[in-house]
Amino acid sequence: MGGVTLSPAVSKAPAAVRRTSRSAVRRIWGSVLLKRIAFYLVAAWAAATLNFLLPRLMPGDPASAILLKMSELGPVTPDRVQLVHRLFGGAHSEPLWRQYFSYLGGLFHGDFGLSLAFYPTPVSTVVRSGFLWSVLLLGVSTVIAFVLGTVLGALAGRRPGGWLDTVISPLSIFVHSLPYFWAALILVYVFAFRLDWFPLSGGARPDLAPGFDPRFISSAVTHALLPAATIVLTSISGWLIHMRNMMASVVNEDYVLLARAKGLSETRVTTAYAARNAVLPSVSSFAVSIGLVVGGSLLTEMVFNYPGLGSLLNQAILNLDYPLMQALFLVISMTVLVANFVMDCLYVLLDPRTREAAS
Amino acid sequence: MTRRHHVRFRVPANRKVRVGLAVFLLLVLVAAFGQLFVGHVLGQSANRLHAGGNLESPSGRHWLGTTSFGQDVFAQLVAGTRTSLLVGLIGGAIATALAVLLGVLSGYTTGRSGAALTAFVNIFLVIPGLPLLILVASYTRGRGGWLTVAVIIGLTSWAGGARAKRAQTLSLRNRDFVEAANYSGESRTRILLLEVIPHLAPVIASTFLFSVVGSIAAEAGLDFIGAGHASTVSWGTMLYWVQSQGALQSGAWWWFLPPGLCIALVGTAAGLINFGVDELADPRLRTRKPGSAAGRSRRSGGVTPEGAR
Amino acid sequence: MSARSRTVASVISAMAVLGAGTAACTSGEEASSASSVLTVAAYSQPTLQANFNPFSPNALRGTVGLIYEQLFDFNTADKNQFMPGLATKYTWDAGGKALHLELDNRAKWSDGTALSRDDVVFTFEYMKQHKLLAVPLTTVVPEGGGVTLTFASPAYSQIQQIGRVAIVPRKLWAKQDPDTYINRSPVGSGPYALGRVTGQQVSFTARKDYWRQDVPVKQINYVTTSSTNLLAQQMVRHEVDLSYAGIPNIKSQYLDKDTAHNHLWPIRASMKPLLLNLRRAPFDNVHVRKGIALALDREKVADAYNPGVYQAVGPTGLTAQSWGQVIPDGAKEPLAQDRQAALKEMAQAGYQLKGGRLVDAKGKQLSLEILTVSTFADGMAYAQELAGQLSQLGIKATVPGEAPSAYVADEGKHNFDAVFGDAYVFGSNLYNFYWSMLSPDSTQSIIGWDDPATKAALDKLAKADPAGQTEATKGLEKIMTDQVPTIPVVVKGTPYMYSTTRYTGWPTEKNPYTTPDPGAVSGVYAEKLFLSLRPATKG
Amino acid sequence: MTADPILDVAGLTVEYGTDRPSRAVDDISFRLHRGEILGVAGESGSGKSTLMTAVTRLERPPARIVAGSVRYHPRDGEPVDLLGAPNRQLRELRWDRLAVVFQSAMTALNPVMRVGAQFVDVLRAHRRIGRKEAWQRAAELLEMVGIPGDRARNYPHEFSGGMRQRAAIALALACDPEIIVMDEPTTAVDVVMQRQILGRLQELQAQFGFAIVFITHDLSLLVELADRIMIMYAGRVVETGAAATIYRDPLHPYTLGLRDSSPSLHGRPRTVRAIGGSAPDLWDLPKGCAFHPRCPRRTDGCDTVRPPLLTVGGHGTACLLTGPATQEQS
């Protein structure tokens, strides 16, 4: 991966220089990467452990939840009650440490046990059914929000107090403060219910089987537009404000001033000097923001009845589905971890100083 | 010394800060005395069902109309202001305290324990907050009222603030005055309390502000999905009913809009204050008011020559 | 190309793909709404997992009724008439200890083979073996054109449960464990075959070779709805033809939007009492219970959420319309709110009114938490109304709402003062109604009522033959009025909402040929309903 | 030194803020000749940095130029007033004719760009040369200030402080400018490095003949380097004259204090005495002579009359007591 940091222009440098700098970069890059990987492995283990502990602090027992469901169908025999308690209550009868190790062991095999809410469907099947929906929705809207927010923030921060800043900054503070679900409700009402431009809910037209079929994909995109718009609308401001402030601060840095003194074009000064530096904190604080966006997108999914992890989480909590909850928490946390890892790598690419710090 | 004097003098002069503070002041007044006014002057109560007709539009009797249960929306909004603000303040205070404690400690402590603390903060940072919050909130089963909710919010939402504190502390740790204190043999606790934390005051204030807003929003989210304390009147529970009663579809904008706008208003006010305070704290962000004569000279202290490699 | 320009390029290409997708979708979306498809809002959860095991509590709706068929049922919406399924008639023998079922010999599995007596015998034995049958079954044998079941004790009262057994083919089920089998490709005898299962919908397609008759509705989609709010919008847009959810303000939100096509018939098949935790003082005191019962204005409670859907009910828990002949005089009408009488009862329990608060000798106010599931808007509304009325009597009544799982757990652990969430189904025979509410053996009886007299009365009713059932019920009714183990408040109405835009021939109050209860998306009720619909004539 | 003017600053006034503006630079005029080194000295807060940003048109939003002109005289053609010049023209003049070296090279170089690339982009903005050629030129320029050419590939953080400072000077030379404005270019480096850099700078100046406006708080340094010196206090010029004259015979009490507050580089050792008090608050300037509250020699009238800058024979001062006007009167 080390080679990525070297632009082709390097080849024009003397051969000796090229050799040393390339291997140095590779070595430095490598050690940064190793450190990061180590951190993320520890974080993953901690998240897995937290995931193990938290649901066990939850009240209620799944057996009674299932029994209530059964009794709605008809009377339940006392024998059956015992059977259900044995089947569903059994998960917590072992000592905690043994549960923990079988839990960790299961994780390595991708085995999360059977879901209670969808008993006897395996949890992995349930999670898989929602994973792609959420990751695509969240991924695409986060990227859009990040890029758009950063660009707008850079434009606004370039001239603090300018007209763009005067309009955009207060507006984005306001939009940023809107509750996700409230914005979602308004969007549904206006664009789906009133104007009928978009479907009301769901992930795709329900009669289409998921797959690489243009009809399904286009339907999925149509269904994703409103939820994505909600996420973009409410999360864009975070990036925007951040970037605006960084930009407003960076445009006063000497190197930006010097770039202007150099008679470079305004675009070059803004992009290569100001924005290029101002974006770094946004990238490094990605972890804080992505957590918020994930939380918001869970609520958004619930409003839109979107078949992703948020809706599954809701179902898992309502049904006291421990195994499903665990798996969902783990998958959500791991996704966030992976996203952060990617951003970390990007940061190292963007900021040459971090490469030195590690050596 | 002159700079400090200037900051104190200019706070109310910044328009953004002024507007933001005015909004907060208004909300605090509403939270404190609103219910008296609603009860004694308007003769309404937040909890009374069928105080008026169902889904009445705003009138002199019901300033913001009624819900589909005939409750007075204005009375609910006022009662909700108190709950939401209290949740915000308590949740925000807990989150900020934890953030300062863990952030400063992890930034200031060196060696293995420092690394462990940092890892701890970073791990909490990557664990998404809302699912965690939902889970823990379900644990309390809506018992204990809004206070429990506030405490849980505080306990689960400190990581972002802690990260900021850590970064600030790291940069302070190497500053002259802290090093001087170190050499003079002052105890670490003393240095932290008397040197580091006072210098973090502006950052702590802004963390608190956003923790308050975050707590209010989190409480609203919890209530909205029914995981909060549903029988307390708060902006969140109002939105829960708004959604479950299909207020929008019934055209009851007077019921749908106020709670959401209130939440947005608090966030906006906090954002404005923060914006303004940022400008005061960092002369480079200043747009309207003069800064020190030369912005750049301010930073000369932060530059330390690095050795050639 | 530098690293950065590569990144830029990939972002641009990603956006281009997205843009193309957006452009493509607008054209494709319209084509779908085939007018012949019937859409039912059948699941109140956002996502589905395939499960067509009729013995699983998580079996998807439609598994029974559309794919597997039951033996028979009784039309509780009308006068409990017999509704044939796979069985055409039943005969009791041996004082209720033997039951002969005559089977419809035309029945065929969807793989073309005949549904035999053998399969019925197998199903009963299978359920017995796996403890799925709440009936004291001893043997089941083929006899004549059907099967004969024998029981350890008279089973008159369990006839509806026996009828609701869904028959499965022996050859496919003999080796399956009902607790773990998912049954993704079911073979049943019902009018529909499984179409496609997506995360948010199950479609059923009509069988061309259905043994009973031509199937008029060619495709039925059972879809998911996670909120009543969304459902209301889907109903108004005629995206859903049939649903049972308690959407708020049904009249303004649904009926008034299209009076020609949108219809509602609230089916009142169950009763909601205010349940007090009899293990806790002072609710173990009958005078406190009577005082509370007298403090309620039941009409107001009934109308607290959706006026016209619920109905106030008398102290026996039974409605005069359906069970008039059973209810003793004086208990037919709902108890009227009577503040003075209520205070008198409270005084007998040692509670005096002081400064608007009902306090005991030590000056402690009578307080009561009505535990409610916070995600059920209707439940919250009713509970709040109840609390409001009790507060007026001087009781400190509050409504803590909690998540469904926590609610169920608290109920199970008897950790509550009062609940107003559970409803008890009348059924075709009152034994199950009272048993599930009052018997300590019932998982649904959460109040802690353990009374020998009630047990004796239940036993008597369980064994009573159809002719003696009215008389046998009276003892239980007397317990209800005198002891007030539960406080009947309302008859729960299930808002059966349907649209006549695509199909007509729905059961109505005037023509209640089947019971369109929530069960109507499954079982004999559903089968009867869907087989009776006719495509609407375009007008 | 020729008497050929290259930059003419007249009545330049810069204010901060709008509601209650403060003047950081108040009616300053001076002329810079080709190949001349003009030193500007003053305490921090005296407005010298603001003057520099205004002259180079790099003033930032709270600062506004409210009056005056900055006329650049090209070798051929009409003089251009930089204050009124359109952006495009200004951009063309920048670096090509007028380059800048900032106080702290630590922050003046873009931290995320290779040092060489920061040469390349300015070279390619003003000269029609290819990328490869530009990189070679960057290496040459770095070598000119004593940095090995292959270090062009490094990032600024991989340079030592002195290297960065030299790189910043090399960068200023990139397009062979006629004027270089330097704002305390050696403050951040140690004395040995400072000597080295200044020595190099003088050599380069001799070689290329550019004019320098050199801003510093260190008067003794200017004496060695500059041809003429301008002393600033509270946004105004309080004394101006030939370097040697100013150092030898300062007229203004402030200049005297400034001179005595810094150690002499050579010549007989002098007691270092700091000026009492601190720089005035620009929002709240003392009436009369802004220096009077700190002035050891203030008399009646100093707190009411603001002395104008009066020049006699190339040496001028703005002081009631010691100015030429006073001398003439007495």
Side-chain angles (χ1 to χ4, degrees), chain A residues 129-140:
Chain A
S129 74
F131 183 71
L132 215 57
W133 290 109
S134 282
V135 165
L136 284 180
L137 176 67
L138 189 66
V140 169

Side-chain angles (χ1 to χ4, degrees), chain B residues 12-298:
Chain B
N14 185 300
R15 202 175 54 183
K16 287 176 186 146
V17 177
R18 229 163 17 190
V19 171
L21 285 176
V23 169
F24 266 106
L25 189 70
L26 181 75
L27 287 173
V28 168
L29 285 178
V30 169
F33 305 109
Q35 270 163 313
L36 283 175
F37 174 76
V38 167
H40 289 96
V41 181
L42 298 180
Q44 298 293 349
S45 147
N47 293 309
R48 196 188 309 150
L49 296 167
H50 309 293
N54 295 353
L55 288 182
E56 275 179 26
S57 52
S59 64
R61 204 166 110 72
H62 300 290
W63 286 11
L64 286 174
T66 63
T67 70
S68 62
F69 306 119
Q71 295 145 304
D72 185 72
V73 176
F74 183 72
Q76 288 209 317
L77 197 68
V78 168
T81 305
R82 176 180 283 186
T83 319
S84 294
L85 232 54
L86 280 172
V87 170
L89 288 175
I90 292 173
I94 295 174
T96 310
L98 282 173
V100 170
L101 184 74
L102 288 158
V104 169
L105 274 183
S106 72
Y108 197 74
T109 316
T110 47
R112 206 167 286 171
S113 50
L117 268 173
T118 307
F120 182 71
V121 170
N122 282 343
I123 285 162
F124 256 88
L125 201 63
V126 291
I127 292 174
L130 191 81
L132 185 66
L133 184 59
I134 294 173
L135 196 74
V136 183
S138 314
Y139 178 55
T140 68
R141 318 157 175 211
R143 292 280 168 90
W146 56 265
L147 189 62
T148 329
V149 175
V151 170
I152 299 167
I153 291 173
L155 291 178
T156 51
S157 59
W158 50 267
R163 179 187 189 274
K165 297 298 157 311
R166 189 182 107 77
Q168 294 287 325
T169 310
L170 276 177
S171 79
L172 275 179
R173 194 169 68 184
N174 298 323
R175 292 266 185 91
D176 298 343
F177 65 93
V178 176
E179 296 208 327
N182 267 329
Y183 286 125
S184 70
E186 282 191 57
S187 82
R188 278 179 21 161
T189 326
R190 227 181 124 72
I191 295 173
L192 281 184
L193 287 179
L194 297 181
E195 302 288 345
V196 176
I197 291 183
H199 272 85
L200 290 177
V203 195
I204 293 174
S206 115
T207 301
F208 177 66
L209 206 59
F210 280 98
S211 295
V212 168
V213 176
S215 300
I216 290 175
E219 191 256 359
L222 277 185
D223 281 343
F224 179 73
I225 61 169
H229 190 66
S231 59
T232 322
V233 179
S234 73
W235 295 337
T237 48
M238 285 181 79
L239 285 172
Y240 165 73
W241 289 108
V242 154
Q243 137 96 348
S244 59
Q245 293 291 289
L248 255 190
Q249 288 73 258
S250 310
W253 52 267
W254 57 86
W255 186 16
F256 181 90
L257 292 178
L261 283 178
C262 277
I263 296 173
L265 191 67
V266 173
T268 310
L272 285 177
I273 294 177
N274 194 57
F275 234 68
V277 170
D278 265 0
E279 283 174 11
L280 293 172
D282 185 348
R284 291 176 295 173
L285 294 178
R286 259 172 240 177
T287 54
R288 286 173 225 288
K289 294 290 148 189
S292 62
R296 276 183 305 115
S297 61
R298 189 184 55 84

Side-chain angles (χ1 to χ4, degrees), chain C residues 190-396:
Chain C
Y192 288 87
L194 184 58
R196 179 179 278 154
V197 187
T198 64
Q200 302 196 309
Q201 172 184 297
V202 180
S203 68
F204 299 95
T205 47
R207 274 175 62 191
K208 291 204 174 60
D209 57 343
Y210 179 54
W211 56 274
R212 199 193 298 267
Q213 66 168 87
D214 239 19
V215 184
V217 184
K218 298 302 172 205
Q219 188 181 335
I220 300 180
N221 290 345
Y222 277 24
V223 298
T224 58
T225 44
S226 61
S227 76
T228 51
N229 197 20
L230 269 177
L231 175 65
Q233 300 182 18
Q234 288 171 322
M235 299 274 300
V236 168
R237 290 163 71 158
H238 298 303
E239 287 174 9
V240 165
D241 300 282
L242 169 65
S243 93
Y244 297 91
I247 64 170
N249 310 307
I250 289 182
K251 193 166 150 39
S252 66
Q253 283 215 52
Y254 176 60
L255 295 178
D256 293 351
K257 304 273 178 179
D258 183 353
T259 47
H261 294 109
N262 296 356
H263 304 277
L264 163 76
W265 173 26
I267 296 299
R268 299 183 179 124
S270 61
M271 191 275 290
K272 266 178 102 145
L274 177 62
L275 299 174
L276 297 170
N277 189 349
L278 307 183
R279 291 175 181 81
R280 276 188 191 173
F283 311 117
D284 53 351
N285 186 326
V286 67
H287 296 296
V288 170
R289 299 200 293 270
K290 281 187 173 165
I292 290 174
L294 284 163
L296 301 178
D297 181 340
R298 291 172 175 71
E299 304 290 342
K300 258 194 173 160
V301 177
D303 288 350
Y305 188 74
N306 239 334
V309 177
Y310 282 24
Q311 195 181 29
V313 72
T316 59
L318 303 174
T319 52
Q321 298 105 301
S322 308
W323 305 95
Q325 73 283 14
V326 186
I327 315 173
D329 289 339
K332 285 196 164 74
E333 291 309 308
L335 214 54
Q337 187 181 35
D338 186 341
R339 189 178 158 80
Q340 289 315 314
L343 288 174
K344 232 160 98 188
E345 290 288 346
M346 286 297 183
Q348 288 196 49
Y351 283 95
Q352 300 294 336
L353 198 60
K354 277 203 184 113
R357 294 156 75 234
L358 211 48
V359 294
D360 65 10
K362 288 175 195 151
K364 192 170 165 280
Q365 190 181 11
L366 177 55
S367 76
L368 167 89
E369 283 187 348
I370 305 176
L371 196 64
T372 305
V373 177
S374 57
T375 45
F376 300 157
D378 48 356
M380 285 290 290
Y382 292 118
Q384 286 192 342
E385 177 65 39
L386 282 170
Q389 294 183 6
L390 293 176
S391 301
Q392 282 170 10
L393 191 72
I395 300 172
K396 188 184 169 214

Side-chain angles (χ1 to χ4, degrees), chain A residues 16-77:
Chain A
V17 176
R18 191 172 70 228
R19 220 173 14 255
T20 56
S21 74
R22 182 174 284 175
S23 68
V25 165
R26 206 170 264 161
R27 196 179 61 241
I28 291 159
W29 204 171
S31 78
V32 173
L33 206 64
L34 277 180
K35 260 194 167 168
R36 296 276 80 191
I37 288 174
F39 167 74
Y40 281 105
L41 284 179
V42 172
W45 166 78
T49 304
L50 190 71
N51 283 338
F52 168 81
L53 288 175
L54 273 178
R56 278 169 175 73
L57 300 174
M58 289 276 285
D61 83 279
S64 15
I66 299 254
L67 280 171
L68 191 82
K69 226 178 192 179
M70 285 179 162
S71 64
E72 279 165 11
L73 303 175
V76 183
T77 63

